Amino acid sequence: MAARLTAEFLDNWKNEVNPDLQKERETCTFKIEELIHVLDGGKENTIKRKNLENIFFTSYVDLFSFKRRPFMSKSEQYESSVAKSVKVFELRREYNWSEEDFDLINRILNYDFALSLHHTMFIPGIERLATDEQKAKWLPLAQSYQIVGTYAQTELGHGTNLLGLETTATYDRERDEFMINTPRLSSMKWWPGGLGKSCTHAIVLAQLVIDSQNHGMHPFMVQLRSLDDHTPMPGLKLGDIGTKLAANNIDNGFLILNNVRVPRENMLMKNARVTRDGKFIQLSGNKANYATMVLVRVKIISWTKDTLRQAATVSVRYSAVRRQTTLKPGTPEQQVLDFQTQQMKVFPCLAAAYAVHFVASSMMDWYQSAFTEILRGNNSQLAELHAQSAGLKAFLTDMSTGMVETCRRSCGGHGYLQVSGVAENMVSSLALVTIEGENTVLYLQTARYLMKQMANAVSGTKTRGSTAYMNRDLSSYTCPIDSQSDCRNLNKLRELYMQRAHRVVMGVAQRLQMDMESGQPQEAVFNNNMVALTRAAKAHLHLSTIDWYIARVDNLVATCSPALGQVMAELCTFFVLWGIVQEAGDFLESETLGLNQLEWIRQEQLNYLTILRPNAVSLVDAFDMHDETVASALGMFDGNVYQHLYESTKYEPNNRTEVHPSYYKHLRGLLKGGQQSKL
């Protein structure tokens, strides 16, 4: 074993908080516990979370600790994550956890949960797509873990375009079965988590074919592996798709189906069914089949919140304890967090973490309400829900990836280490821009909805919800920012976002109309304006984001203590100002503001760095993330960065021996040869 610092030396650090970090906490102007309860959705939820953390990180800390993960191979990561999943499933039986608890457990375990799709996609898929009789058959098996499942939709050649899926399920009347095939190389299922080596069953999305007639995409329950020895079932070829940039604890897989037969009853028939004689009956609008996809996009917004929380926690805490250079010769080195440039790197991520938290919460509430209506046959909210969930998934994941990378860079060279946590977080966040729809495609889906809404508004039909701003009279607009003090008024700042969105969306709609009137084919008009359509979607989604953020902060100001309300308003104002500066070109081009107003806003943005500085550490402390969830040597609560960095080296495989085997295989010969030549 390589030499280490003595245990006595290291013990001097244990349980002692870095004095710089402690000093930061003493400057807090609000009650952290109050904000923790707000973010958790109530004191009861905080207690539940802490109880879960105690189970995982006290009773089973050796299994669930993050400390060995950065040094594991892909196979070791997968095996460790399967072991964690199995333990979670065992504990579920013991503690009778609900399905709702699993989203929280996923967060606590930092998504190191190989079989997570069993609870996030497979069981919800059965609940939403199966008949009562089918639920009675499949749910007990899934909930008792007699089977473990995934959701197989994406194909090698098709992702977002669901209508283009090539997997087929052809009904055979004689045998009362469906024959499922992936007829081409591009048809194989590709990417579903747990598909490679773990799952025994999958909900497979396929085109239903009866008498050569295609009846669209429908879900089918398919057994993948034997329940006796876990070998693949006849007609199936499946495996792991290989090493990814991150998330290698999950066995994302491929699946080839060659004349695989399943009973007719294995078609999940809540929304449509096939009778014994082959008659297709649509029981309800097939819109409900999209509900699971919409739900996952809403959940991705919540996952995005978690990436921002972790990045903000690590970068703010590290910046508070890291001392580097000085502005005044002869004085001690300063905390990096004191430098304005460092604040501009990390405070936007901190503010965004709160913004996305409130957006995610609002979106989930809306989804639950809308889905209840969909089940009743009322699809009136589905178009807007689809457009907003797709667009916000794209907008917020795009925003977060840039912020997380900036936070990683703010940690200097140490941020390049896997044990920093923020490096792994950064790479993991990149997956969010492509899963459940590549972001550009999603922006365009939102843009299509916006163009329809704008057409309604122009024709005199009132628009509602997220597009209510289209009812405004653009010609009567006057910039509401008359002085620098107006830049602290959230209602006036919101007007800027509304005007920008309205002008940009209207401009694109007018351009489309002109191109159509010139005789261009519709597909050419759409393709030639894709960049403008994407820009319009982003302007709209930026407004939606700050709308929800401001609304939730207004509620907090009205219901919480004055001190907390003030801090939340300050953080929100900074985020809104930062957004205008980031998109200054759009705001100027749309004549939303002038150069003088932009300069006031830019100055106020800098002023808010100073306003937020005393509460920065406390605002990340309020996320109340367990050290094992933060999973960072740089971002632990005690702030003892250098101790944790050095201690992490004991898990590095190269340090298991003082002399690496490569010395005997290669290096010794070179060194001995050089010595002999010299002699």
Side-chain angles (χ1 to χ4, degrees):
M1 175 66 71
R4 305 206 171 278
L5 297 177
T6 65
E8 292 78 15
F9 186 71
L10 292 173
D11 280 342
N12 291 332
W13 277 314
K14 288 183 178 178
N15 300 319
E16 292 184 9
V17 175
N18 181 289
D20 282 332
L21 208 53
Q22 183 58 42
K23 182 180 177 182
E24 293 290 329
R25 290 171 176 140
E26 291 170 357
T27 66
C28 180
T29 64
F30 63 94
K31 292 182 179 179
I32 293 180
E33 188 176 22
E34 181 184 9
L35 182 51
I36 290 172
H37 295 334
V38 167
L39 296 177
D40 280 335
K43 183 177 180 180
E44 298 78 11
N45 290 337
T46 299
I47 294 171
K48 176 195 286 188
R49 173 176 55 78
K50 287 185 174 294
N51 286 339
L52 288 170
E53 290 171 346
N54 185 62
I55 291 170
F56 294 128
F57 302 137
T58 301
S59 303
Y60 300 98
V61 65
D62 288 342
L63 176 60
F64 290 103
S65 177
F66 79 94
K67 294 178 181 178
R68 291 181 175 82
R69 191 173 66 234
F71 304 99
M72 289 180 175
S73 67
K74 180 178 185 295
S75 180
E76 289 171 335
Q77 288 183 56
Y78 168 66
E79 182 176 354
S80 172
S81 196
V82 170
K84 293 174 184 177
S85 299
V86 170
K87 177 54 69 175
V88 169
F89 293 164
E90 291 173 352
L91 291 170
R92 186 206 175 188
R93 291 195 188 102
E94 181 179 346
Y95 291 98
N96 196 29
W97 291 329
S98 68
E99 291 299 324
E100 289 73 22
D101 291 331
F102 273 88
D103 282 338
L104 176 58
I105 291 170
N106 240 335
R107 280 179 48 210
I108 290 172
L109 297 182
N110 205 14
Y111 300 95
D112 189 7
F113 191 12
L115 304 181
S116 61
L117 260 67
H118 181 73
H119 281 279
T120 60
M121 291 289 283
F122 186 67
I123 289 177
I126 296 172
E127 291 173 335
R128 287 166 173 77
L129 302 173
T131 64
D132 289 341
E133 183 179 359
Q134 290 172 322
K135 289 179 187 178
K137 175 181 179 180
W138 295 109
L139 280 178
L141 295 174
Q143 291 169 341
S144 63
Y145 309 113
Q146 295 179 62
I147 63 174
V148 177
T150 186
Y151 190 85
Q153 174 177 292
T154 302
E155 296 175 353
L156 184 59
H158 288 88
T160 308
N161 181 20
L162 301 184
L163 298 177
L165 292 177
E166 298 175 335
T167 304
T168 59
T170 304
Y171 183 58
D172 181 345
R173 279 189 185 83
E174 292 186 8
R175 298 178 59 171
D176 193 25
E177 294 174 336
F178 291 104
M179 189 163 62
I180 305 181
N181 279 285
T182 49
R184 286 172 286 279
L185 179 66
S186 57
S187 311
M188 74 171 74
K189 298 299 181 183
W190 187 275
W191 275 114
L195 179 62
K197 296 295 179 182
S198 303
C199 291
T200 64
H201 287 70
I203 297 174
V204 174
L205 277 292
Q207 303 289 351
L208 172 61
V209 179
I210 304 174
D211 296 331
S212 300
Q213 182 179 355
N214 191 319
H215 292 276
M217 180 184 68
H218 293 275
F220 298 84
M221 183 68 72
V222 177
Q223 183 171 347
L224 305 174
R225 293 179 176 273
S226 165
L227 298 181
D228 294 324
D229 59 9
H230 210 58
T231 55
M233 298 297 288
L236 300 181
K237 183 174 179 59
L238 68 165
D240 192 306
I241 62 173
T243 303
K244 308 174 290 289
L245 285 176
N248 287 301
N249 58 309
I250 298 175
D251 55 322
N252 297 87
F254 66 85
L255 171 64
I256 299 172
L257 301 106
N258 182 21
N259 295 332
V260 174
R261 291 183 173 273
V262 299
R264 179 170 54 86
E265 292 77 14
N266 278 32
M267 175 181 167
L268 301 184
M269 298 189 190
K270 180 172 186 175
N271 303 306
R273 67 186 178 93
V274 175
T275 64
R276 175 66 182 85
D277 61 357
K279 182 180 179 181
F280 174 76
I281 301 174
Q282 187 74 52
L283 299 175
S284 62
N286 59 7
K287 301 292 186 182
N289 287 342
Y290 291 86
T292 301
M293 179 180 64
V294 172
L295 173 61
V296 175
R297 287 174 179 167
V298 172
K299 286 187 175 183
I300 290 171
I301 297 173
S302 184
W303 302 344
T304 302
K305 164 199 69 182
D306 294 327
T307 67
L308 291 168
R309 280 182 166 195
Q310 194 265 7
T313 299
V314 173
S315 59
V316 169
R317 285 178 177 170
Y318 178 72
S319 299
V321 301
R322 177 73 169 184
R323 288 183 173 270
Q324 193 82 12
T325 70
T326 179
L327 293 176
K328 184 179 180 180
T331 61
E333 288 187 306
Q334 290 183 254
Q335 293 168 277
V336 174
L337 194 57
D338 286 336
F339 296 117
Q340 188 185 63
T341 49
Q342 187 76 351
Q343 294 167 9
M344 189 55 81
K345 289 178 182 177
V346 302
F347 287 1
C349 183
L350 172 60
Y354 278 86
V356 179
H357 172 89
F358 294 128
V359 172
S361 175
S362 299
M363 281 295 296
M364 184 57 73
D365 290 345
W366 182 22
Y367 172 84
Q368 298 291 359
S369 173
F371 185 69
T372 300
E373 292 301 312
I374 291 170
L375 294 179
R376 294 171 179 165
N378 177 9
N379 295 323
S380 61
Q381 299 182 63
L382 186 56
E384 184 181 18
L385 178 62
H386 174 264
Q388 288 291 91
S389 63
L392 286 169
K393 177 268 182 186
F395 181 76
L396 297 175
T397 57
D398 272 349
M399 179 182 71
S400 71
T401 53
M403 287 180 168
V404 173
E405 167 60 5
T406 299
C407 285
R408 187 196 66 78
R409 295 184 186 190
S410 76
C411 295
H414 295 328
Y416 195 66
L417 288 166
Q418 282 283 78
V419 295
S420 73
V422 72
E424 182 180 9
N425 184 13
M426 182 273 294
V427 180
S428 296
S429 73
L430 298 178
L432 300 180
V433 304
T434 51
I435 61 172
E436 291 302 318
E438 193 276 329
N439 280 358
T440 303
V441 176
L442 299 187
Y443 284 131
L444 292 172
Q445 290 179 5
T446 302
R448 286 190 182 95
Y449 174 77
L450 295 177
M451 294 302 105
K452 292 177 182 177
Q453 293 297 98
M454 183 58 74
N456 289 335
V458 170
S459 68
T461 302
K462 274 205 166 188
T463 57
R464 303 181 186 280
S466 64
T467 57
Y469 63 87
M470 294 181 182
N471 301 314
R472 299 161 67 251
D473 180 7
L474 276 174
S475 63
S476 65
Y477 172 79
T478 301
C479 181
I481 306 299
D482 295 322
S483 66
Q484 188 165 327
S485 63
D486 286 337
C487 300
R488 299 192 176 197
N489 186 315
L490 281 171
N491 289 327
K492 291 187 176 184
L493 294 174
R494 180 177 177 271
E495 286 188 52
L496 301 182
Y497 278 84
M498 282 197 295
Q499 177 69 6
R500 172 219 182 184
H502 198 175
R503 287 293 295 267
V504 172
V505 175
M506 173 66 85
V508 176
Q510 291 173 338
R511 176 62 183 271
L512 289 174
Q513 183 65 28
M514 290 172 56
D515 287 354
M516 291 291 290
E517 291 175 352
S518 71
Q520 296 182 42
Q522 184 173 349
E523 64 274 11
V525 171
F526 183 73
N527 189 48
N528 293 338
N529 288 280
M530 278 187 174
V531 173
L533 285 163
T534 301
R535 177 188 170 209
K538 290 179 180 179
H540 166 81
L541 295 162
H542 204 167
L543 170 62
S544 296
T545 299
I546 68 110
D547 262 351
W548 261 319
Y549 195 3
I550 292 173
R552 294 297 290 269
V553 167
D554 283 346
N555 179 261
L556 290 176
V557 170
T559 59
C560 294
S561 65
L564 178 57
Q566 179 180 338
V567 173
M568 289 291 95
E570 290 167 351
L571 194 63
C572 180
T573 304
F574 170 73
F575 180 77
V576 174
L577 292 168
W578 176 84
I580 295 172
V581 174
Q582 290 296 301
E583 301 297 334
D586 247 16
F587 283 91
L588 288 171
E589 186 179 336
S590 61
E591 299 180 333
T592 298
L593 45 68
L595 290 175
N596 287 338
Q597 287 95 344
L598 178 60
E599 184 55 36
W600 291 337
I601 287 170
R602 196 185 300 274
Q603 186 57 51
E604 277 303 300
Q605 176 194 225
L606 297 178
N607 291 341
Y608 268 89
L609 295 177
T610 303
I611 292 171
L612 295 175
R613 172 67 182 85
N615 284 310
V617 168
S618 297
L619 283 167
V620 299
D621 282 353
F623 297 144
D624 202 26
M625 298 173 71
H626 195 284
D627 280 346
E628 294 290 351
T629 302
V630 177
S632 168
L634 306 184
M636 291 191 181
F637 185 83
D638 64 14
N640 294 319
V641 170
Y642 305 127
Q643 170 201 356
H644 296 309
L645 281 174
Y646 183 78
E647 277 294 280
S648 72
T649 62
K650 71 182 180 182
Y651 301 110
E652 168 54 51
N654 279 346
N655 293 334
R656 290 172 183 165
T657 60
E658 293 289 355
V659 180
H660 193 272
S662 64
Y663 168 78
Y664 302 103
K665 292 181 180 179
H666 309 291
L667 188 57
R668 181 170 60 176
L670 174 67
L671 295 173
K672 296 296 183 182
Q675 293 170 4
Q676 291 173 359
S677 297
K678 186 176 180 180
L679 291 174

